[in-house]
Amino acid sequence: MHSSKKICNFASLFVTNMTKEQNILRPIEQEFKTFEKTFERTLQCDQPILKDVMQYLLTKRGKQLRPLLVLLSAKLCRGITDKTIDTAVALELLHTSSLIHDDVVDASPLRRGHEAIHIRWTNKVAVLVGDFILAKVIQLVAQVRNAKILNIIANIGASLSSGELLQLHANATMWISEEQYYRVIEQKTAHLFAACTEAGSESSGGTMRQVSALRDFGLHLGMCFQLKDDVLDYSDSDELGKPTMGDIRDGKATLPLLIALQRAPKEEADRIRQLAEQLSHNAPHIDAYEAEQEIKSFVLRYDGIRYAYQQMQLHKEKAVDALAAFHDSTSKQSLIDILDYAINRLQ
């Protein structure tokens, strides 16, 4: 397995790329190294297939936003404890497991620009690995011995599954309402961010006011993060780690397109709906590239992207307001920098 030093260097590189003015990792640098060592140790196993998959996961890790949020939230309250480290590992593992299962459900070939587990191995292996990681989550939560944190993690596990089912149901006809869209992204993304900040503050013995404030911050940060993900799907960048317009091809209509359809004349909107449905069904009689470009142009013309950014700004303001419960500090600034990153990132 890769050394903790190499992984931590990756985390430092990620932080540097997020902001030129602040080092987000600085307030928790030592504690983050402890988190990395614990995370790596938790995934160690002797079973050959599991060992291979775990090594693959460790070398293809994402931005590690969720454990950063757990640690920074604890630091902002009474400080990071052993319970904080175990909570951060548990939530990162829960997120990892949900991604593995989601890739199977969505038949996604890539994860962060690399082969998804079910592609590199098989669907069966991916499902069983996801279950193994969930078992590790349960072990860690039992070790924490905190009823409130247990409740937070149990609830987020249920929310992730519920959100996926809600999305499957909502997308049966592809065309969901704006209200349904928000419900889906709250359950699939925002609730996990909120769980990280809430559990982090709980692990440090934060007050009810602090825990509530950080949960609100995490929720609105998560909304910003998913809204930006949906905007990036209309990007022309080839550095996203997944193909653009992937949501449309998967039969998912997100906010930029939903708003553009509301604003466009009926005849034009009907044309785009038909085109999107054909693209999602991989219809052989259309040129996929031309269809994508037409849909992108339509979304831009009717300000679907601008509207999504306006919604991000509203959630950003609410997130910043939530942090007013805390005095200025490097930990607070790091959380604000993560919020800025969520909105301004290019991938």
Side-chain angles (χ1 to χ4, degrees):
M1 291 188 180
H2 284 235
S3 70
S4 296
K5 182 178 180 181
K6 287 182 180 178
I7 296 175
C8 199
N9 284 342
F10 167 77
S12 299
L13 178 62
F14 155 63
V15 170
T16 301
N17 287 339
M18 283 203 298
T19 171
K20 296 179 180 179
E21 298 177 356
Q22 296 289 335
N23 185 340
I24 290 173
L25 195 61
R26 189 180 302 134
I28 55 167
E29 190 167 1
Q30 293 305 313
E31 295 93 335
F32 192 83
K33 291 177 182 178
T34 302
F35 158 79
E36 288 287 5
K37 292 176 183 177
T38 306
F39 186 89
E40 184 175 345
R41 186 171 62 248
T42 302
L43 290 184
Q44 287 179 348
C45 56
D46 296 326
Q47 207 281 343
I49 295 179
L50 276 174
K51 185 176 181 180
D52 288 345
V53 177
M54 296 309 158
Q55 288 180 328
Y56 185 73
L57 287 172
L58 283 171
T59 59
K60 304 294 186 292
R61 296 185 63 189
K63 303 174 183 69
Q64 303 179 93
L65 271 178
R66 291 150 194 86
L68 281 172
L69 291 171
V70 175
L71 297 176
L72 286 168
S73 296
K75 191 83 166 184
L76 194 55
C77 296
R78 291 186 170 183
I80 294 169
T81 65
D82 290 342
K83 290 182 178 180
T84 307
I85 300 297
D86 287 340
T87 299
V89 173
L91 282 162
E92 180 71 352
L93 288 174
L94 182 61
H95 174 57
T96 301
S97 174
S98 72
L99 293 180
I100 293 171
H101 285 160
D102 284 355
D103 286 343
V104 174
V105 171
D106 297 337
S108 301
L110 298 177
R111 169 60 59 184
R112 299 173 183 136
H114 302 279
E115 283 183 315
I117 300 298
H118 71 99
I119 296 295
R120 191 173 180 87
W121 282 272
T122 65
N123 280 352
K124 289 182 180 179
V125 168
V127 170
L128 292 172
V129 166
D131 291 346
F132 174 81
I133 294 174
L134 279 177
K136 290 291 186 179
V137 173
I138 295 171
Q139 290 176 350
L140 282 166
V141 174
Q143 186 173 302
V144 170
R145 298 181 182 276
N146 182 301
K148 290 182 178 178
I149 292 175
L150 169 62
N151 191 52
I152 291 167
I153 292 179
N155 284 340
I156 192 56
S159 179
L160 290 172
S161 298
S162 176
E164 185 69 23
L165 288 168
L166 179 62
Q167 181 167 276
L168 287 173
H169 175 73
N171 288 337
T173 61
M174 193 170 185
W175 308 114
I176 61 177
S177 67
E178 186 176 355
E179 180 181 359
Q180 287 175 309
Y181 166 81
Y182 287 128
R183 284 172 55 204
V184 168
I185 68 170
E186 275 190 18
Q187 291 193 32
K188 286 200 64 181
T189 303
H191 284 175
L192 179 55
F193 279 75
C196 290
T197 49
E198 182 181 10
S201 54
E202 282 285 1
S203 73
S204 73
T207 66
M208 287 182 62
R209 180 169 178 258
Q210 289 174 328
V211 172
S212 177
L214 280 164
R215 187 187 189 286
D216 287 346
F217 171 82
L219 182 71
H220 293 295
L221 167 64
M223 295 296 284
C224 287
F225 194 89
Q226 187 58 56
L227 282 162
K228 183 56 182 278
D229 254 9
D230 294 342
V231 166
L232 286 172
D233 203 40
Y234 289 88
S235 169
D236 289 323
S237 172
D238 59 357
E239 300 176 353
L240 297 179
K242 63 176 182 178
T244 58
M245 300 295 288
D247 289 330
I248 296 293
R249 287 194 299 273
D250 290 340
K252 302 171 186 175
T254 56
L255 190 64
L257 177 57
L258 293 172
I259 292 302
L261 288 168
Q262 288 180 20
R263 294 176 170 180
K266 184 178 183 305
E267 183 176 344
E268 189 175 0
D270 288 344
R271 154 75 180 164
I272 294 297
R273 283 193 184 92
Q274 183 182 39
L275 197 59
E277 288 171 2
Q278 290 171 338
L279 190 58
S280 71
H281 289 99
N282 199 25
H285 64 277
I286 66 167
D287 183 302
Y289 177 78
E290 289 185 2
E292 290 176 8
Q293 294 307 307
E294 185 173 346
I295 293 171
K296 285 182 181 180
S297 177
F298 172 82
V299 168
L300 288 171
R301 187 161 61 253
Y302 290 101
D303 289 331
I305 301 296
R306 179 179 297 179
Y307 182 84
Y309 272 112
Q310 289 171 346
Q311 296 306 302
M312 279 184 245
Q313 185 60 37
L314 291 175
H315 283 290
K316 177 183 177 180
E317 291 170 2
K318 291 178 180 178
V320 172
D321 287 346
L323 291 183
F326 300 92
H327 296 298
D328 290 345
S329 66
T330 55
S331 297
K332 179 177 176 178
Q333 185 58 51
S334 287
L335 288 173
I336 293 172
D337 289 340
I338 289 176
L339 179 62
D340 289 336
Y341 161 76
I343 294 174
N344 298 321
R345 62 199 168 99
L346 300 178
Q347 58 179 328

